[in-house]
Structures are given as structure tokens and as C-alpha cells.
Amino acid sequence: MKVIVINGSPKPRGNTALALDAVCAVLNGKGIETPRIEVGTGAIHGCIACHRCSREKDCRCVFDDDLVNKSMDDIIAADGVLIGSPVYYAGINGALKAFLDRVFFVASASGSLMRHKVGAAVVAVRRGGEIAAWDQVNKYFTISEMFVPSSVYWNMAFGLTPGEVLEDPEGMDTMQMLGENMAWLLEARQKGAAALPALREKTYTNFIR
């Protein structure tokens, strides 16, 4: 099995990466591969709602940049997605937001391709805003019919300078338990794939009639 890890921090070896490492160590110990995509320093165009992906349904965005389209095949082929972000103004990193908007919209428009994958989010934070940032990532999962594992606390670790999250024992325990629960859910999903609910046609409504 394979989980795509998406690091939204501009620091490849910062606290967000270390929090992700703690989850990945557990996944790797259970034979689950965890290739990583670094998006925190990328120049990533935001979604412009052109609906090209909805018309073509080819799992490609109109902006043929070096990150989103090149990552789509790996993300769609994976069994799960693990996303990490630092906290910027009580939200996620801007480059990560642009990346996720496009990836999840393209996957949805191309046939609900994130459906029934396992998705988890972690955040690294100095002091506050972590719940809002963590919740922001989870919204991508829950609108896509993904399975979201839990842990013994909300998936956050505290630290300012790189390495300080390793001194947050509760945060590291949370990451390790997240890895355990994510691995269990991935295995359960694999074993029960034949019984997964069928895709239903989505109904779209507006509040203005």
C-alpha cells in the first residue's frame, strides 16, 4: 500500500516535516510506502474555476505547471494521503491551499477519484490557530468521501525553531497513534474493498431559485 505525503511547509526539514516523519515511521514499519511531495516553496497558481477539468475529465488542470499535474497520477493511484502544514494566520500555507484546491477539484471533476482513500492532516504550530488550520485540511477529505482516522488528540505538534516539535511528547504520541490508526484503516479498507458503497450521482442545488 502507498500513502502520498504532502508537505506544505517551505522548510523541508522543519517542524511540519518532523511531525509527518513521526506518522510515516509507523506506516513504514507496517510496510506502507510514503513518497513525499514538497509544495511549500512552489509557485502554484490558484484554481480559477474555469471547469476545464469538468469538461475534459482527464485528471488534468488547465495550468500545466510542474507540480499539480505531475502529481495527479501518483495521488490518484495512492491508497491514502497524509497532508502537513504549518499555521499561517490560523490557516494553512498559501501554496498548499492553491495546490489542494486544484488537486481535489480536478479529482472530483474527473470522477470522484479521491473517494474512499484514507486521508489525514497534521499541523505544526508555534502557539495558536492550529485547530482552524487542521480543520481546513479535513474539509478536503470529508467533501470527497474519504475515510479520516483519528488519534488520541487533535493532530498537532508545538514548536517554533526546527526540531522543537520533537520536544512535545504529547504531540509525538499523537502522531504515532495517528500512524497506527491510519495503517489499520488502510488495511481494513483493502480487505473490505468489495463491499464499499457504490458511487451515487451528486445532486447540486443553489439557494437562489
Side-chain angles (χ1 to χ4, degrees):
M1 289 183 288
K2 182 179 295 185
V3 170
I4 294 291
V5 181
I6 300 170
N7 180 17
S9 172
K11 300 174 182 176
R13 297 310 305 156
N15 285 320
T16 302
L18 294 173
L20 290 169
D21 287 349
V23 183
C24 290
V26 178
L27 296 176
N28 296 157
K30 296 180 181 295
I32 299 168
E33 298 177 53
T34 55
R36 189 168 300 198
I37 300 170
E38 301 285 345
V39 304
T41 59
I44 305 173
H45 204 298
C47 177
I48 60 170
C50 69
H51 289 277
R52 183 263 175 206
C53 56
S54 300
R55 293 190 299 273
E56 300 299 328
K57 300 186 184 302
D58 60 357
C59 210
R60 291 294 180 271
C61 178
V62 68
F63 296 114
D64 194 16
D65 56 32
D66 289 336
L67 198 55
V68 174
N69 281 350
K70 288 188 176 180
S71 301
M72 285 302 305
D73 289 342
D74 289 337
I75 292 171
I76 297 308
D79 303 286
V81 180
L82 174 63
I83 300 171
S85 181
V87 177
Y88 286 14
Y89 289 91
I92 63 175
N93 173 284
L96 178 62
K97 174 70 164 61
F99 180 85
L100 295 179
D101 281 353
R102 289 170 58 200
V103 164
F104 276 81
F105 196 95
V106 168
S108 175
S110 299
S112 299
L113 300 179
M114 301 299 286
R115 187 172 187 260
H116 294 161
K117 295 185 187 300
V118 176
V122 305
V123 295
V125 61
R126 180 189 72 84
R127 184 172 176 85
E130 68 285 351
I131 291 295
W134 180 65
D135 181 63
Q136 190 177 2
V137 180
N138 281 312
K139 285 182 167 62
Y140 290 98
F141 303 146
T142 54
I143 199 174
S144 304
E145 291 189 74
M146 295 175 68
F147 301 130
V148 182
S150 60
S151 187
V152 291
Y153 197 74
W154 300 297
N155 307 334
M156 64 187 72
F158 289 82
L160 176 59
T161 59
E164 283 188 352
V165 292
L166 300 177
E167 301 172 25
D168 175 10
E170 185 173 3
M172 290 297 100
D173 284 349
T174 299
M175 298 304 149
Q176 290 163 14
M177 197 66 234
L178 176 62
E180 294 281 354
N181 287 338
M182 191 173 192
W184 182 90
L185 190 52
L186 283 160
E187 184 176 356
R189 169 189 172 273
Q190 186 179 56
K191 289 179 178 178
L196 288 171
L199 179 65
R200 293 182 59 180
E201 184 175 350
K202 190 171 182 178
T203 301
Y204 293 92
T205 59
N206 300 319
F207 292 104
I208 304 299
R209 298 287 186 265

